[in-house]
Amino acid sequence: MGLHTIDYCIFLLYFFIVSGYGYWIYRRKKTKQADSKDFFLAEGSLTWWAIGASLIASNISAEQFIGMSGSGFAMGLAISTYEWMAAATLIVVAVFFIPIYLKNKIYTMPQFLSQRYNNSVSTIMAVFWLLVYVFVNLSSILYLGALAIQTISGIDFYYCMYGCAIFAIFITLGGMKVIGYTDVIQVFVLVLGGLATTYLALDLVSDQLGGTGIGDGLSYLYSEATDHFSMVLSEGEIMIPNGEGGTRDAYMDLPGLSVLIGGMWIINLNYWGCNQYITQRALGADLKTARSGLLFAAFLKLLMPVIVVLPGIAAYVLHKNGMFQAEMANELGHIKPDHAYPVLLNLLPIGLKGLSFAALTAAIVASLAGKANSISTIFTLDIYNKFFNKNATESRLVGVGKLVVVASFVIAVLVAPALRNLDQAFQYIQEYTGFISPGVFAIFALGFFWKRTTSAAALTAAILTIPLSTFLKFQFPEIPFIDRMGIVFVMLAVLMVIITLLDPKSKHNPKGLEIDASMFKPSTSFTVGAILICGILVGLYTIFW
């Protein structure tokens, strides 16, 4: 347990490299006068590889390393569908969503809603996004990050939380350029450190079961946990710990074919296509650069389950064979899947442990910085500039943005400790983010592709998405939350269509977007890459069906 001097030296080396590079980028690309678009979007300065790396660094955080590994321990490879379906979704977003944003010069998601519908829809959704980003996403990332660092280093939870917050604030205050380019280092470190942890986990499985090398480890992993290698779960197929000493059906988290043709698409299309936190990386680039960045991110997504899910399955096999009995238990002695990844990290040799610790910290800090920047962007441009100071100068907007960054972290630091009773944090994040996802995606999808969609229809969906999701959750608890999201989306989409058709003025809606079919035509190189990714996905789902 704990880190050695060499581990701390490796971590400090990582810290100084990231901080130093970030400061160099800040000084080199700093504009003479404060510019809000430059601060929030890094307009025109991010390359395709920086966009792709930043997307992954912002997406992969403690919720994946800790939460998804915990779900890998509990239910196996099936949880990888979040990563692999995301690869397909990124292609859809690159082809159909990004051209619309760029053609209409969209900088924030509420701005799109204001242009396409009206200020009421925009403001309601801006408030929803801010609440979810601060109280669900930022807080949970901070909590899981601090928990992991505490488990590995032995440092007090609160000091770990404060340290992560301060490091992330330092990166975020440099603006999107600093976040984007430092994320390239963060991704390199998290992939290298993540692969090192996976290698150790497979090697340990091999040693414990009498094999030699990671090849035997993979073989033992499959033979000892065959039920953990099914991508499409049937009802009752696998039971997972419920955090209270009992079990529950994994089908409630990943309900069969819904992960391929149902609600999983709502989750991913909303996250990757209608989410300020993600699309912000591409909104300041030209179409070719943005598409190339998204394609690069899709390729990286294919690799993620190797880094974040396989270690969890390995921990399950080792626990099944008598290891980690005390380490995998919570305060009440019940199995806590989210302990899987930190437990494995504590087994790494000196030096390698420092690298993996740096990788985990990189993922946490990159995600915190990206999320805080998006919170700052939405509040500054869509709340402050619109309602409090319409004539704010560029320097004033940047100053407010920086204050919001600090304020959002203060709130997250206060909320994060309250999340300690969670069983599988990754599922918590997905479910409660999913209360607004169906409404958001319905509003965006119809707004993109149906000119007649009215503001009244969008406003109705915005108002009803949380109440309808809440009603179904508590009145029909037997419905898996992914299916519930699909049901709510269909209900809201149908309602929006009816409201629109009842409005005779919708036939000549001046707010409808002008869409040119040629804007959706990708380049030959993009098409080849997209076909390759889709072929790999078909192969993976066929093998592990």
Side-chain angles (χ1 to χ4, degrees):
M1 297 289 289
L3 298 173
H4 290 73
T5 303
I6 295 176
D7 295 318
Y8 281 114
C9 289
I10 291 173
F11 174 77
L12 287 174
L13 178 64
Y14 147 76
F15 175 82
F16 286 120
I17 288 175
V18 171
S19 300
Y21 182 61
Y23 183 72
W24 180 76
I25 289 290
Y26 175 75
R27 298 293 300 179
R28 183 184 176 207
K29 296 182 177 289
K30 184 179 179 181
T31 53
K32 291 182 180 179
Q33 294 183 336
D35 186 325
S36 60
K37 290 186 179 67
D38 182 70
F39 179 78
F40 294 118
L41 297 173
E43 191 170 21
S45 64
L46 293 183
T47 59
W48 64 267
W49 44 268
I51 291 172
S54 188
L55 281 168
I56 297 302
S58 297
N59 168 243
I60 301 296
S61 182
E63 63 193 82
Q64 269 78 17
F65 272 102
I66 308 303
M68 195 168 278
S69 287
S71 294
F73 178 98
M75 68 182 74
L77 195 64
I79 198 66
S80 300
T81 198
Y82 279 99
E83 304 299 306
W84 288 339
M85 289 298 289
T89 304
L90 280 163
I91 295 171
V92 174
V93 171
V95 173
F96 296 106
F97 288 30
I98 290 299
I100 295 175
Y101 290 140
L102 296 183
K103 183 179 178 67
N104 291 276
K105 293 181 170 56
I106 300 299
Y107 301 119
T108 71
M109 298 299 98
Q111 180 202 346
F112 167 79
L113 295 176
S114 181
Q115 285 184 207
R116 178 59 183 84
Y117 296 113
N118 58 30
N119 285 335
S120 297
V121 176
S122 172
T123 303
I124 288 173
M125 295 313 301
V127 172
F128 281 173
W129 273 313
L130 288 174
L131 291 174
V132 171
Y133 286 176
V134 174
F135 289 96
V136 177
N137 298 111
L138 196 68
S139 300
S140 60
I141 293 169
L142 194 58
Y143 157 70
L144 285 170
L147 178 66
I149 293 173
Q150 177 196 31
T151 305
I152 297 162
S153 66
I155 300 172
D156 182 77
F157 172 84
Y158 287 93
Y159 289 132
C160 295
M161 185 171 61
Y162 301 148
C164 284
I166 292 170
F167 190 5
I169 288 172
F170 180 81
I171 296 294
T172 312
L173 292 181
M176 181 52 76
K177 282 196 297 282
V178 173
I179 294 171
Y181 281 105
T182 54
D183 278 351
V184 176
I185 299 177
Q186 312 273 45
V187 163
F188 176 77
V189 173
L190 76 85
V191 169
L192 186 63
L195 288 175
T197 306
T198 301
Y199 179 90
L200 169 98
L202 293 175
D203 194 53
L204 187 58
V205 169
S206 177
D207 287 345
Q208 289 295 311
L209 298 178
T212 54
I214 63 169
D216 287 342
L218 275 170
S219 178
Y220 288 133
L221 214 62
Y222 185 78
S223 62
E224 289 285 316
T226 304
D227 60 340
H228 276 52
F229 282 88
S230 176
M231 286 299 300
V232 180
L233 300 179
S234 302
E235 195 166 358
E237 180 177 347
I238 184 169
M239 306 302 291
I240 60 178
N242 65 0
E244 301 174 354
T247 60
R248 60 187 180 85
D249 194 346
Y251 181 85
M252 294 298 293
D253 292 331
L254 296 170
L257 287 174
S258 290
V259 302
L260 292 178
I261 58 175
M264 184 61 74
W265 280 103
I266 308 300
I267 294 173
N268 276 295
L269 286 169
N270 173 70
Y271 181 86
W272 294 102
C274 313
N275 183 351
Q276 182 71 29
Y277 176 46
I278 294 301
T279 54
Q280 191 161 337
R281 273 107 184 109
L283 294 182
D286 60 82
L287 181 57
K288 182 180 179 183
T289 302
R291 276 181 168 162
S292 297
L294 290 170
L295 189 66
F296 179 45
F299 273 108
L300 290 176
K301 268 292 175 187
L302 297 177
L303 178 65
M304 287 303 112
V306 176
I307 294 173
V308 298
V309 179
L310 280 185
I313 301 175
Y316 169 79
V317 171
L318 293 168
H319 181 269
K320 179 182 174 182
N321 283 274
M323 293 185 68
F324 313 139
Q325 298 302 304
E327 292 85 349
M328 288 301 303
N330 62 14
E331 295 80 2
L332 300 175
H334 304 143
I335 293 175
K336 187 173 179 65
D338 280 351
H339 284 179
Y341 200 83
V343 164
L344 286 175
L345 285 191
N346 272 319
L347 298 176
L348 286 169
I350 296 173
L352 197 56
K353 189 174 184 179
L355 176 64
S356 293
F357 182 57
L360 182 61
T361 307
I364 295 163
V365 170
S367 238
L368 289 172
K371 187 65 73 179
N373 183 272
S374 294
I375 292 167
S376 175
T377 303
I378 290 176
F379 181 86
T380 304
L381 300 184
D382 296 297
I383 302 293
Y384 175 80
N385 195 28
K386 187 180 292 184
F387 297 104
F388 296 99
N389 192 347
K390 293 182 180 180
N391 300 314
T393 62
E394 291 293 300
S395 60
R396 180 63 176 170
L397 291 176
V398 172
V400 169
K402 291 180 178 181
L403 286 175
V404 173
V405 168
V406 176
S408 64
F409 274 107
V410 170
I411 295 171
V413 163
L414 295 174
V415 173
L419 304 179
R420 283 185 156 184
N421 294 325
L422 296 178
D423 174 37
Q424 290 184 61
F426 184 77
Q427 299 302 331
Y428 158 81
I429 295 167
Q430 300 306 321
E431 177 163 5
Y432 286 95
T433 302
F435 272 54
I436 69 167
S437 298
V440 172
F441 184 60
I443 292 168
F444 273 76
L446 270 68
F448 281 153
F449 304 112
W450 194 32
K451 290 183 180 181
R452 291 185 59 174
T453 311
T454 63
S455 300
L459 186 61
T460 302
I463 293 173
L464 290 180
T465 181
I466 291 180
L468 196 53
S469 296
T470 304
F471 173 78
L472 289 178
K473 175 178 172 59
F474 292 103
Q475 290 299 315
F476 301 95
E478 69 278 5
I479 299 176
F481 79 88
I482 289 179
D483 286 345
R484 184 176 72 236
M485 289 175 64
I487 293 169
V488 173
F489 168 76
V490 171
M491 293 173 69
L492 291 176
V494 169
L495 188 59
M496 287 179 69
V497 170
I498 293 172
I499 292 173
T500 297
L501 292 177
L502 290 175
D503 184 351
K505 295 181 181 179
S506 67
K507 291 181 180 180
H508 306 286
N509 189 351
K511 292 270 192 173
L513 299 175
E514 292 297 327
I515 295 177
D516 179 2
S518 64
M519 64 196 282
F520 300 126
K521 185 178 179 181
S523 65
T524 302
S525 59
F526 180 92
T527 302
V528 171
I531 291 173
L532 179 59
I533 288 173
C534 291
I536 293 172
L537 289 174
V538 170
L540 288 169
Y541 277 94
T542 300
I543 293 170
F544 297 112
W545 186 272

